[in-house]
Amino acid sequence: MFGIEASEAAVSFAKKRFEKERLAGDLHVGDFEHLPFDDDSMDLVVDRAALTHVGRTAHVNAIQEIARVLKTGGYFHYNVYADTHTSAHSGQEGDDGVIVNISKGALVDVGQVYFPTKAAVESYFSTGWKIHRLEHREYKEVIDSTPTIHSEWLAIVEKCD
């Protein structure tokens, strides 16, 4: 198992936890745009909302880098917030398609967030990939009188020749 995380503190915490629980893993401080792995070396790459915090350009670059390290026939589990999320409509547009200064929803104070549309997600995997699953998951939080919507994309894609 390999891991990439931009936060040095998070990697340090994870390494200590792995050691405490006697787990094996090769954890790195880094980013998805510059993966420290060989070409065609991975069977599976999982992103659980890390790419949601970079703009369009870094998003595309990261997906190309993930394709580089995946073996042909390898899978990418892609999971980012979607454009119908309440938080997507409560901030200001920043550089490269990200939303900043989010004031509503579950993503207040998390920094910049990129909320791609279905068309954008499909375009990321239109060449060199086979989409096996594309889900739009959405639910409403109704604790307050004004519901908030949590919305995300889940794609399972396979690297093709």
Side-chain angles (χ1 to χ4, degrees), residues 52-158:
T52 208
H53 294 286
V54 299
R56 282 185 205 105
T57 303
H59 214 88
V60 169
N61 292 343
I63 291 169
Q64 290 172 346
E65 183 69 350
I66 290 164
R68 180 188 68 77
V69 303
L70 270 175
K71 297 175 184 175
T72 298
Y75 285 85
F76 177 33
H77 176 281
Y78 170 85
N79 189 205
V80 296
Y81 295 116
D83 59 317
T84 55
H85 198 291
T86 294
S87 295
H89 308 286
S90 70
Q92 293 85 42
E93 188 163 341
D95 294 335
D96 207 21
V98 298
I99 302 299
V100 297
N101 302 321
I102 294 170
S103 61
K104 293 181 186 169
L107 301 176
V108 173
D109 296 327
V110 300
Q112 67 180 24
V113 180
Y114 174 55
F115 298 93
T117 63
K118 180 182 182 209
V121 171
E122 289 173 329
S123 74
Y124 301 145
F125 303 111
S126 63
T127 304
W129 299 94
K130 178 180 179 185
I131 300 175
H132 286 278
R133 176 179 221 136
L134 179 57
E135 292 182 17
H136 178 239
R137 296 176 174 180
E138 190 170 285
Y139 63 85
K140 289 182 183 179
E141 173 62 56
V142 293
I143 198 165
D144 295 324
S145 60
T146 305
T148 58
I149 298 171
H150 175 91
S151 178
E152 62 185 57
W153 295 111
L154 169 64
I156 306 295
V157 298
E158 178 184 0

Side-chain angles (χ1 to χ4, degrees), residues 10-48:
V11 170
S12 177
F13 177 84
K15 285 181 176 181
K16 288 175 187 169
R17 179 139 183 214
F18 269 50
E19 185 178 319
K20 179 181 176 183
E21 295 187 22
R22 295 186 175 136
L23 299 172
D26 187 3
L27 307 176
H28 298 265
V29 175
D31 67 72
F32 272 135
E33 286 188 272
H34 306 95
L35 296 173
F37 308 116
D38 293 335
D39 294 0
D40 305 312
S41 62
M42 299 287 163
D43 295 308
L44 172 69
V45 173
V46 176
D47 170 43
R48 178 58 183 103

